Amino acid sequence: MILSSTIRRSPQVLRRLLLNSGSIRQQQNPLLRRGIHATSVVNGDALDMADTFSRRHVGPSDDDTKLMLQSIGLSSLDELVKSTVPSNILSSKPLNLAPALTESEALSKIKTMADKNKVMKSYIGMGYYDTIVPNVILRNMLENPGWYTAYTPYQAEIAQGRLEMLLNFQTLCSDLTGLSMSVSSLLDESTAAAEAMQMCYSLKGKKNKKNKFFVSKDVHPQTISLIQTRAEVIGIEVIVGDHSSSEVDSGEYCGAIVQYPNTYGSVESPGESY
């Protein structure tokens, strides 16, 4: 069954299976040396696991490596390391590591470790809470390979698909709020707030010499902290106060941030405090 499915996928994979099983020897067949991947490693034992990380994720073959080393006047990778890494930080002893696991073995071990985790109820609040994602979004977006394989499938992360998701989310926020701009961070809520502050300062602060930015005291404390850290570096004065009693539109601020719902879970309508 394995052989027949491999034949349908690629004749090159079949050649590698034949090599691994010992039917054809690499030394006798130089044309089959590389197989389907540049780093195909021929195993002498047909029962050896073939899904090794190095074979799939390290590009150059042995011949490619020798050619690149020759072009820079070196004979081995060890010589390359010794010529680039300072001797005072280069260890002369081999690393005390366990034998490398294959991809399937690593996944199995990680799952065994993860099964020991206990999922507790979180009451910390302040942005750290679970969310309910509708099934229609799970099926059509988060679980849809089209979002994260259409651009750069060689990447371990889904960076490119996530960029498009964030762009769509930003556009949705602009449509819902009627605002001409919105920003959705690549990282977290606090970073998004700091990026919004920098955008406000770039648009209004530098030209009009407005270096004050207002932050509501009801914003998550970790968000306020990150805003203050980023502001200190670029010369913005952060004013933290009560948004319901502050004159945010007085003209002295380059921008302001108010959280909805706030860090205490309060949802305020425009008629109450804003």
Side-chain angles (χ1 to χ4, degrees):
M1 186 64 184
I2 296 176
L3 185 60
S4 61
S5 63
T6 305
I7 294 174
R8 288 197 298 271
R9 285 201 301 270
S10 170
Q12 292 175 314
V13 178
L14 173 59
R15 289 202 295 269
R16 190 199 307 158
L17 284 175
L18 292 173
L19 286 168
N20 290 345
S21 65
S23 299
I24 304 176
R25 290 301 175 185
Q26 182 180 9
Q27 294 83 354
Q28 299 171 356
N29 296 272
L31 294 178
L32 301 180
R33 185 174 300 165
R34 295 182 62 170
I36 192 173
H37 194 276
T39 55
S40 294
V41 178
V42 178
N43 297 322
D45 191 344
L47 298 180
D48 286 348
M49 299 292 286
D51 59 333
T52 56
F53 282 97
S54 59
R55 181 183 59 81
R56 295 184 58 187
H57 300 290
V58 179
S61 65
D62 291 341
D63 290 341
D64 295 332
T65 302
K66 290 179 181 178
L67 183 61
M68 288 187 286
L69 288 170
Q70 289 174 0
S71 66
I72 58 177
L74 299 174
S75 59
S76 67
L77 291 176
D78 287 338
E79 187 178 354
L80 174 63
V81 172
K82 291 178 180 179
S83 66
T84 54
V85 180
S87 58
N88 60 330
I89 64 172
L90 182 62
S91 175
S92 59
K93 299 178 180 179
L95 297 177
N96 184 21
L97 299 176
L101 300 176
T102 65
E103 192 163 354
S104 56
E105 290 171 339
L107 289 174
S108 176
K109 186 171 183 178
I110 292 173
K111 184 181 184 302
T112 301
M113 297 170 64
D115 288 341
K116 298 179 181 180
N117 291 335
K118 296 181 179 179
V119 180
M120 304 296 187
K121 196 72 174 179
S122 174
Y123 296 97
I124 190 173
M126 295 188 297
Y128 300 101
Y129 36 68
D130 198 8
T131 56
I132 298 176
V133 181
N135 286 329
V136 64
I137 295 178
L138 285 176
R139 290 194 307 271
N140 295 289
M141 295 186 68
L142 299 182
E143 298 174 353
N144 181 2
W147 282 102
Y148 51 85
T149 60
Y151 300 93
T152 50
Y154 54 83
Q155 287 185 338
E157 66 275 13
I158 61 170
Q160 302 299 328
R162 186 173 63 172
L163 283 174
E164 186 170 350
M165 288 185 187
L166 292 175
L167 175 61
N168 290 335
F169 181 69
Q170 289 179 181
T171 305
L172 174 64
C173 290
S174 293
D175 291 343
L176 291 176
T177 60
L179 298 174
S180 58
M181 289 187 181
S182 64
V183 58
S184 181
S185 173
L186 284 173
L187 299 177
D188 52 65
E189 183 176 0
S190 301
T191 304
E195 290 172 355
M197 175 190 66
Q198 285 187 264
M199 181 182 68
C200 292
Y201 180 64
S202 298
L203 293 174
K204 296 293 185 181
K206 292 181 179 179
K207 183 183 296 185
N208 302 320
K209 296 182 178 180
K210 297 179 181 179
N211 70 329
K212 289 186 178 181
F213 188 81
F214 180 84
V215 180
S216 170
K217 64 180 180 62
D218 293 337
V219 172
H220 292 322
Q222 67 270 19
T223 301
I224 296 176
S225 178
L226 183 55
I227 288 176
Q228 291 172 332
T229 300
R230 189 78 64 88
E232 183 180 358
V233 177
I234 57 181
I236 299 177
E237 181 183 356
V238 176
I239 307 299
V240 181
D242 187 351
H243 62 267
S244 61
S245 59
S246 300
E247 296 182 359
V248 179
D249 56 350
S250 61
E252 61 177 324
Y253 299 105
C254 65
I257 177 171
V258 178
Q259 185 172 311
Y260 177 90
N262 63 26
T263 190
Y264 303 107
S266 176
V267 178
E268 302 176 352
S269 67
E272 293 178 2
S273 301
Y274 290 85

